[in-house]
Amino acid sequence: MAPKKKKTEPEPEKVKLSRGDVDELIDDGTALVEERDWAPALAKLEAAAEALETYEEHMVMSRLCAKIGQCQLELRDVPGALGTFEKQLSSATEEKDKGIRKEGQASSYANLAHVYAMLGKDNEALEALEKSDGLLKDAPTQQARNASLAGVIHFRKGDVQKALVCHQKDLELSDALVRKEDAHPLIILRAKHNCAVCLCRLGKFRPARQEFDGCAKLLDESTVVPEDADGLFRGASPATVQARALYHAARATQAPSLDVGARSRLERAASLLPPPDEPWPGRAELCGNQ
């Protein structure tokens, strides 16, 4: 006689979280994001997103997906981030308020562009950036970031002149924010550095050196470096950023038309060298190991 099959017990119904509980999860996850504690932040935010599905609050979901995608990128889950940013876009598109909808869509396309660039899908990234820019109005911070990413992509594709135009747009927008005191002065480091790299590649060494020296001067004049400043190299110390700027300025100075000042820049960069466990391209040359 065949044994009787055990009845499969139905899974217990998930308890619907209150809207207040969802907000608490979002607040806890956001606090962890600010502390850069990515894995616990992701767990909190994903739990919030799952519970939020029943409330049909499209822009809350869209903004929540942006935070989840950020955590996934930091944890190197690029395919996961792609799916999350697609969800961010679809949620924003369902928003009825036109102004808020456009804002959410612009942010979503910018995030998708970042992921496409990481996946090597440069054309898709540029298309997404174009869509983001087309939706933006009076959003110079996002427009500057879009221009910076477009410049990086064009440089990678070998169109240095087009890359320079993008980075100059980033510099113009970022500088305007600083002049209005809407941003920390160091946000222009990113644009100045990238402009200088393009100028070097185009053989324009004198203006390139001026931009690299300008990066070093900015750090000389800045007594406080905010953790969220868009500097040259995310996660590097201010001294390392300054040493890199001086190193690149020295390389530009070594061009045949500019043969004075390289040594002094290299010596100063060497004095700012980070500990051996913080690598950067100039270490070998400064230490005479080439």
Side-chain angles (χ1 to χ4, degrees), residues 199-213:
L199 289 167
C200 269
R201 183 63 63 89
L202 293 169
K204 299 178 180 181
F205 299 108
R206 188 178 297 276
R209 183 180 67 176
Q210 289 174 347
E211 293 292 358
F212 284 131
D213 283 344

Side-chain angles (χ1 to χ4, degrees), residues 158-179:
D159 194 337
V160 182
Q161 186 60 51
K162 192 173 286 188
L164 177 59
V165 171
C166 292
H167 292 310
Q168 286 172 332
K169 179 182 178 182
D170 176 19
L171 182 57
E172 180 182 344
L173 288 165
S174 298
D175 188 54
L177 285 169
V178 172
R179 290 180 186 278

Side-chain angles (χ1 to χ4, degrees), residues 141-152:
T141 300
Q142 185 62 63
Q143 289 171 309
R145 288 173 179 162
N146 287 358
S148 178
L149 179 56
V152 170

Side-chain angles (χ1 to χ4, degrees), residues 66-184:
K67 293 179 182 179
I68 292 172
Q70 179 188 359
C71 293
Q72 290 169 318
L73 285 181
E74 294 290 349
L75 294 168
R76 303 295 185 268
D77 181 9
V78 180
L82 176 60
T84 300
F85 291 140
E86 288 171 345
K87 171 73 172 175
Q88 179 191 1
L89 177 59
S90 65
S91 297
T93 302
E94 293 183 50
E95 172 61 40
K96 293 180 181 179
D97 185 295
K98 185 177 179 181
I100 298 175
R101 181 172 69 244
K102 282 188 173 183
E103 176 191 335
Q105 289 173 319
S107 172
S108 303
Y109 280 122
N111 286 333
L112 284 168
H114 185 67
V115 175
Y116 287 141
M118 292 180 73
L119 293 170
K121 297 181 178 182
D122 290 343
N123 292 333
E124 289 90 336
L126 290 172
E127 183 180 345
L129 287 171
E130 187 175 341
K131 289 179 179 178
S132 178
D133 282 338
L135 292 162
L136 289 170
K137 187 177 181 180
D138 297 326
T141 300
Q142 185 62 63
Q143 289 171 309
R145 288 173 179 162
N146 287 358
S148 178
L149 179 56
V152 170
I153 294 170
H154 285 306
F155 189 90
R156 187 163 68 189
K157 288 167 68 73
D159 194 337
V160 182
Q161 186 60 51
K162 192 173 286 188
L164 177 59
V165 171
C166 292
H167 292 310
Q168 286 172 332
K169 179 182 178 182
D170 176 19
L171 182 57
E172 180 182 344
L173 288 165
S174 298
D175 188 54
L177 285 169
V178 172
R179 290 180 186 278
K180 292 178 182 177
E181 298 185 353
D182 289 336
H184 192 281

